[in-house]
């Protein structure tokens, strides 16, 4: 299980609960707390990225790891593109197969924000929506979703070079919001969009529903 740095840093308890849930399906699952180094990749630091991710990949392969379970869409993109023989899956597909995460009654309607790096990954998008509905919520799609989803503004580390441009994407997204809360499956998106309207990670629904 490779939760990624943003999720484990902002939601350590949810990360622990996910790990425990995965252990129910895969008793010998391990966990690695590290960064996939995508920010360096997006900033054009290709040599540094190749060295750091290469070191991480070599370590995993040396331990006999064949499949990496990711929670972060950015980690999904990096491992899918650069992981070589490592098979990459998201935890959302596994969690969806488990059914409702708790018996706390929840109702309401939410939006779903698809992170831009997974705009073409239909199975992940569907698994997240299935998880949300199985846990009691209805979904109202915004105009831009799935293949046409908007970037939250964090993508490509744009905020480091052009903060106003970065912020403008959140403003644009907020104009489409009509429900009280949006759920996303990227900790970075939850942080950026949360500056404009109430936004939570889908794991908050599963493991911190109150």
């Amino acid at each position: 299980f490779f939760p990624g740095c943003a999720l484990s840093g902002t939601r350590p308890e949810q990360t622990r609960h996910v790990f425990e849930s995965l252990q129910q399906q895969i008793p010998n699952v391990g966990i690695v707390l590290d960064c996939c180094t995508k920010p360096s990749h997006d900033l054009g630091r290709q040599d540094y990225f190749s060295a750091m991710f290469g070191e991480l990949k070599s370590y995993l392969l040396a331990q006999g790891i064949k499949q990496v379970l990711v929670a972060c869409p950015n980690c999904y993109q990096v491992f899918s593109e650069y992981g070589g023989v490592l098979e990459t899956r998201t935890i959302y597909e596994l969690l969806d197969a488990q059914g409702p995460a708790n018996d706390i009654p929840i109702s309401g309607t939410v939006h779903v924000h698809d992170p831009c790096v997974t705009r073409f990954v239909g199975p992940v998008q569907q698994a997240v929506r299935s998880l949300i509905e199985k846990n009691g919520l209805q979904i109202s799609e915004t105009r831009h979703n799935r293949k046409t989803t908007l970037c939250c503004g964090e993508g490509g580390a744009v905020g480091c070079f052009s903060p106003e441009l970065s912020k403008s994407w959140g403003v644009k997204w907020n104009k489409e919001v009509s429900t009280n809360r949006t759920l996303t499956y990227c900790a970075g998106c939850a942080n950026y969009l949360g500056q404009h309207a109430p936004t939570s990670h889908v794991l908050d629904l599963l493991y911190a529903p109150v």
Side-chain angles (χ1 to χ4, degrees):
F1 174 38
F2 193 90
C5 52
L7 178 67
S8 54
T10 60
R11 291 168 170 81
E13 284 302 308
Q14 285 87 321
T15 301
R16 180 176 63 82
H17 286 307
V18 170
F19 184 47
E20 292 171 349
S21 295
L22 293 175
Q23 286 178 310
Q24 296 177 19
Q25 293 190 54
I26 313 169
N28 66 335
V29 66
I31 185 170
V32 172
L33 299 174
D34 205 339
C35 175
C36 71
T37 330
K38 187 174 185 292
S40 296
H41 172 280
D42 291 353
L43 287 168
R45 303 182 64 199
Q46 192 63 39
D47 290 343
Y48 180 79
F49 166 76
S50 297
M52 297 305 295
F53 184 75
E55 179 182 306
L56 171 62
K57 184 173 71 172
S58 296
Y59 170 79
L60 294 175
L61 292 174
Q63 307 307 310
I65 302 301
K66 297 180 180 180
Q67 185 179 88
V68 178
L69 306 175
V70 298
C72 171
N74 290 292
C75 294
Y76 177 84
Q77 184 185 43
V78 168
F79 274 98
S80 296
E81 185 172 352
Y82 298 98
V85 296
L86 290 170
E87 179 186 358
T88 307
R89 295 186 67 189
T90 72
I91 60 170
Y92 309 107
E93 298 157 278
L94 292 174
L95 295 177
D96 181 41
Q98 288 185 333
N102 55 69
D103 56 3
I104 298 177
I106 299 174
S107 62
T109 301
V110 295
H111 290 312
V112 177
H113 173 73
D114 297 295
C116 57
V117 290
T118 53
R119 66 168 69 249
F120 299 120
V121 191
V124 177
Q125 298 167 352
Q126 190 54 45
V128 169
R129 285 164 171 77
S130 178
L131 264 176
I132 292 171
E133 292 176 337
K134 284 179 180 177
N135 283 274
L137 297 177
Q138 295 181 322
I139 296 172
S140 173
E141 299 285 5
T142 53
R143 177 187 170 195
H144 292 90
N145 63 84
R146 300 182 189 254
K147 292 182 180 180
T148 63
T149 190
L150 299 176
C151 177
C152 70
E154 184 184 36
V158 172
C160 298
F161 292 94
S162 180
E164 289 305 312
L165 176 60
S166 175
K167 182 179 179 180
S168 71
W169 283 99
V171 173
K172 185 175 183 178
W173 164 83
N174 193 41
K175 293 179 180 178
E176 299 185 9
V177 172
S178 60
T179 65
N180 289 331
R181 186 164 296 274
T182 294
L183 296 183
T184 185
Y185 39 109
C186 172
C189 290
N191 178 47
Y192 264 63
L193 297 182
Q195 300 174 39
H196 304 277
T199 307
S200 297
H201 197 286
V202 67
L203 295 181
D204 297 334
L205 168 65
L206 271 57
Y207 304 114
V210 176

